[in-house]
């Protein structure tokens, strides 16, 4: 009897209506970057700068022309949800001018096709692809005009698709996007001026998020709306109390300050202190406080790939507290007076350097649920690798299966811990354009037969991980 009870308990790791899904984003998958009236985006411009080195957004995975075929593959996979983004510049080419009906109709077809196959559309409004005309007019998010342009765009989307879309995400990874100057179009050479612009842009994006949440309540009643954040879980490199503080500060400055704004409508004290010490407090208006506090979200989308490790980095007269230092990349910056990024000697890394740590996912889910008491869905989680098409015509990726398996098990453990997790959407549903590695670095469950220079036939080939995940979905995670 006792053995039967244990078996029965283990068999209930995932809720009955758990949303097994997969993810993508518009600029990385669609292609057709200048077709049917679409305007240029920051992502298009940045990709064009690297066009001599890797693939760009002009074709990407060609989902724009092949979405019906692709969604058939999603249905055969058994997806319960598909998390994807709309291209703001496809719907409003200059960001704030005439609406492009062809863009709206494209997403009508995608949403309707998903629903035909019983796949829940999980729609992101903004995934790294600000219309470039708003940069030329206002320097993008530095201006409050961009906030109003985004609210208008959000209202158009809620009005058009709100009767068919139940789950909305406003911004994807604002807390990560704001760290990368290229994605924000920050060009200042002076570090202080760059951080001043960054703080103002970040604040304006929070205002835009709040206005979109309010518009969703009005135009799509009954829908669920929230952000997708880039999660961080940082370990201290030693038990030294300063290193422990550094690890916590790394999580706070890179993720938790944003979660506080999304859930409480204000910056936490430690972040206000940083803004004041750097003399970069953003410009605000009296009416903002009530708007931010009233933008109640329904859930958190969690993007998780890896954990970090930190040591304490003291400040000095030449390096004041809060100044950033980039030894590796902008995402994992060091900050004087707070933290320094370190390698964790206890973890293995992918071929692209991301340290693999499924326990970190369990820790993140438990920590966020303890603090914010909101239901969550994994909106990105995956392994980038240089997959190859084998002589037998298949793509054999046991490394991806091992990664996904261990992280799905971490999700099950978190659910058993009491976390309210209602879905899992690995990144990515198919191979797509990686921002800095093109098609060399592949995340997909479906192989796209092209490389950075040769489009080949763009044939879709399910990988071994596709069939493995198909079985996971069929058996609800068992």
């Amino acid at each position: 009897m006792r053995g039967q009870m244990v078996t029965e308990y283990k068999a209930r790791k995932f809720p009955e209506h758990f949303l097994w899904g997969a993810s993508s984003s518009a600029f990385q998958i669609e292609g057709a970057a200048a077709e049917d009236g679409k305007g240029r985006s920051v992502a298009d411009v940045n990709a064009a700068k690297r066009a001599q080195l890797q693939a760009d957004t002009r074709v990407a995975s060609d989902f724009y022309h092949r979405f019906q075929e692709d969604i058939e593959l999603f249905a055969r996979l058994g997806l319960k949800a598909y998390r994807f983004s709309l291209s703001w510049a496809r719907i409003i080419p200059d960001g704030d001018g005439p609406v492009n009906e062809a863009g709206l109709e494209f997403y009508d077809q995608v949403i309707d096709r998903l629903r035909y196959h019983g796949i829940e559309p999980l729609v992101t409004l903004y995934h790294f692809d600000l219309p470039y005309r708003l940069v030329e007019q206002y320097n993008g998010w530095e201006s409050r005009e961009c906030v109003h342009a985004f609210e208008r765009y959000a209202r158009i989307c809620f009005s058009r698709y709100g009767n068919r879309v139940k789950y909305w995400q406003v911004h994807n990874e604002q807390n990560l996007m704001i760290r990368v100057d290229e994605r924000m179009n920050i060009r200042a050479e002076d570090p202080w001026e760059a951080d001043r612009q960054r703080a103002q842009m970040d604040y304006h994006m929070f205002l835009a998020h709040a206005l979109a949440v309010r518009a969703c309540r009005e135009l799509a009643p009954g829908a669920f709306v929230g952000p997708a954040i880039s999660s961080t879980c940082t370990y201290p490199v030693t038990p030294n109390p300063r290193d422990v503080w550094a690890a916590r500060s790394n999580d706070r400055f890179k993720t938790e300050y944003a979660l506080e704004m999304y859930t409480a409508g204000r910056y936490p004290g430690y972040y206000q202190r940083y803004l004041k010490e750097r003399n970069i407090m953003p410009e605000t208006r009296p009416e903002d406080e009530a708007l931010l506090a009233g933008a109640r979200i329904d859930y958190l989308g969690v993007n998780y790939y890896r954990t970090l490790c930190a040591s304490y980095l003291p400040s000095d007269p030449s390096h004041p507290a809060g100044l950033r230092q980039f030894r590796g990349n902008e995402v994992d910056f060091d900050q004087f007076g707070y933290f320094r990024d370190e390698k964790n000697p206890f973890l293995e890394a992918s071929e692209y350097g991301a340290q693999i740590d499924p326990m970190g996912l369990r820790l993140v889910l438990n920590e966020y649920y303890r603090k914010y008491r909101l239901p969550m869905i994994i909106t990105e989680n995956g392994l980038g690798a240089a997959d190859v098409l084998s002589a037998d015509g298949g793509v054999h990726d046991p490394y991806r299966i091992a990664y996904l398996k261990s992280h799905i098990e971490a999700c099950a453990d978190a659910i058993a811990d009491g976390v309210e997790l209602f879905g899992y959407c690995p990144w990515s549903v198919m191979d797509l354009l990686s921002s800095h590695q093109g098609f060399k670095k592949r995340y997909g469950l479906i192989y796209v037969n092209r490389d950075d220079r040769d489009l080949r036939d763009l044939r879709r080939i399910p990988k071994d991980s596709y069939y493995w995940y198909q079985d996971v979905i069929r058996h609800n995670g068992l």
Side-chain angles (χ1 to χ4, degrees):
M1 175 64 74
R2 184 174 297 172
Q4 290 176 350
M5 290 175 66
V6 170
T7 301
E8 185 179 4
Y9 172 75
K10 287 183 177 179
R12 292 180 176 171
K13 287 186 175 180
F14 291 94
E16 183 180 353
H17 299 293
F18 194 75
L19 289 179
W20 296 102
S23 294
S24 74
S25 83
F27 82 91
Q28 292 172 281
I29 196 172
E30 285 180 4
E35 293 184 32
D36 294 337
K38 181 186 173 296
R40 284 193 309 162
S41 72
V42 169
D44 294 327
V45 172
N46 289 336
K49 294 175 185 176
R50 291 187 287 274
Q52 298 305 311
L53 303 173
Q54 64 178 58
D56 58 26
T57 58
R58 286 175 294 177
V59 176
S61 305
D62 202 32
F63 179 79
Y64 188 80
H65 297 112
R66 299 166 181 256
F67 72 90
Q68 295 193 41
E69 167 195 350
D70 290 338
I71 293 173
E72 291 284 342
L73 276 174
F74 303 170
R76 296 214 310 262
L77 176 57
L79 292 189
K80 309 299 182 187
Y82 175 44
R83 183 252 185 170
F84 65 102
S85 69
L86 310 179
S87 168
W88 184 352
R90 194 177 294 284
I91 292 173
I92 307 174
D94 67 0
D96 198 24
V99 175
N100 178 29
E101 182 62 26
L104 289 171
E105 289 177 357
F106 169 67
Y107 294 116
D108 275 328
Q109 294 178 69
V110 171
I111 290 168
D112 288 345
R113 198 70 186 165
L114 290 168
R115 285 168 52 85
Y116 172 81
H117 286 288
I119 301 172
E120 193 80 58
L122 204 166
V123 176
T124 304
L125 291 173
Y126 178 49
H127 192 127
F128 302 167
D129 54 355
L130 184 74
Y132 197 72
R133 182 61 180 151
L134 295 178
V135 174
E136 296 173 323
Q137 286 183 296
Y138 311 123
N139 198 26
W141 289 107
E142 188 178 2
S143 170
R144 209 167 177 111
E145 293 301 320
C146 195
V147 177
H148 300 312
F150 183 81
E151 181 188 15
R152 174 175 176 253
Y153 160 63
R155 285 180 169 274
I156 288 168
C157 294
F158 294 140
S159 297
R160 181 79 170 218
Y161 311 120
N163 63 335
R164 288 168 288 163
V165 175
K166 182 179 178 181
Y167 296 98
W168 292 91
Q169 291 179 340
V170 182
H171 298 323
N172 175 70
E173 294 187 336
Q174 175 182 332
N175 62 310
L176 183 145
M177 181 174 19
I178 200 68
R179 302 177 219 163
V180 183
D181 288 358
E182 183 183 65
R183 285 180 178 161
M184 301 305 299
N185 208 61
I186 296 173
R187 298 171 178 169
E189 294 184 5
D190 175 57
W192 179 86
E193 174 58 19
D195 282 347
R196 185 201 65 77
Q197 290 183 28
R198 192 185 326 278
Q200 190 65 63
M201 290 175 170
D202 205 18
Y203 180 74
H204 281 158
M205 288 179 70
F206 284 122
L207 284 181
H209 184 279
L211 286 165
V213 169
R214 187 172 70 178
C216 187
R217 303 273 179 248
E218 175 189 338
L219 299 170
F224 298 92
V225 62
I229 56 101
S230 173
S231 63
T232 53
C233 175
T234 309
Y235 306 122
V237 73
T238 76
N240 185 313
R242 282 188 174 271
D243 291 340
V244 174
W245 177 254
R248 292 183 181 175
S249 295
N250 194 59
D251 289 337
R252 287 175 171 177
F253 278 82
K254 292 176 180 173
T255 301
E256 292 179 14
Y257 85 98
L259 287 169
E260 291 285 342
M261 181 63 92
Y262 289 135
T263 56
R266 61 182 181 275
Y267 287 135
Y270 62 82
Y271 201 71
Q272 292 189 44
R273 174 183 174 178
Y274 155 74
L275 294 171
K276 290 174 183 176
E277 285 180 346
R278 290 284 284 155
N279 192 28
I280 56 172
M281 185 67 75
E283 295 180 7
T284 66
R285 293 182 183 176
E287 63 268 25
D288 294 350
E289 185 176 349
L291 170 65
L292 291 165
R296 179 184 55 81
I297 60 175
D298 298 306
Y299 71 97
L300 288 175
V302 177
N303 295 356
Y304 177 90
Y305 291 93
R306 63 204 174 109
T307 51
L308 301 166
C309 199
S311 63
Y312 177 67
L313 179 63
S315 59
D316 58 45
S318 300
H319 304 95
L323 179 67
R324 300 180 184 213
Q325 171 180 265
F326 307 106
R327 291 178 302 118
N329 59 65
E330 292 173 283
V331 170
D332 298 326
F333 64 86
D334 304 330
Q335 190 161 295
F336 287 97
Y338 294 95
F339 48 79
R340 173 186 170 98
D341 182 47
E342 303 283 0
K343 185 175 181 179
N344 190 329
F346 297 98
L347 296 176
E348 295 182 0
S350 74
E351 62 186 291
Y352 289 97
Q355 294 196 296
I356 299 169
D357 183 11
M359 178 57 77
L361 178 55
R362 184 179 181 181
L363 289 168
V364 159
L365 292 173
N366 271 274
E367 184 71 1
Y368 293 170
Y369 193 68
R370 179 184 68 83
K371 287 182 176 179
Y372 309 112
R373 291 295 169 181
L374 286 167
M376 288 177 283
I377 180 171
I378 305 298
T379 38
E380 291 184 26
N381 175 235
L383 180 71
D387 299 333
V388 294
L389 184 60
S390 298
D392 63 8
V395 180
H396 308 302
D397 55 344
Y399 39 85
R400 181 167 294 108
I401 292 172
Y403 180 97
L404 294 175
K405 180 178 185 294
S406 63
H407 286 76
I408 290 172
E409 287 172 348
C411 290
D413 287 335
I415 291 170
D417 293 336
V419 171
E420 189 177 352
L421 186 70
F422 66 92
Y424 177 81
C425 298
W427 184 269
S428 56
V429 68
M430 65 170 58
D431 292 340
L432 38 68
L433 177 65
S434 179
S435 297
H436 289 91
Q437 289 90 13
F439 277 84
K440 300 178 192 72
K441 185 179 183 182
R442 297 173 182 264
Y443 283 90
L445 300 167
I446 301 167
Y447 186 85
V448 176
N449 190 33
R450 66 158 295 177
D451 62 22
D452 284 329
R453 287 284 161 263
D454 187 354
L455 290 177
R456 298 175 184 163
D457 57 8
L458 290 163
R459 185 161 44 101
R460 278 55 169 143
I461 303 166
K463 303 177 186 179
D464 288 356
S465 56
Y466 174 100
Y467 296 109
W468 176 84
Y469 191 48
Q470 184 183 62
D471 200 50
V472 169
I473 296 172
R474 183 181 297 119
H475 295 96
N476 197 30
L478 291 181

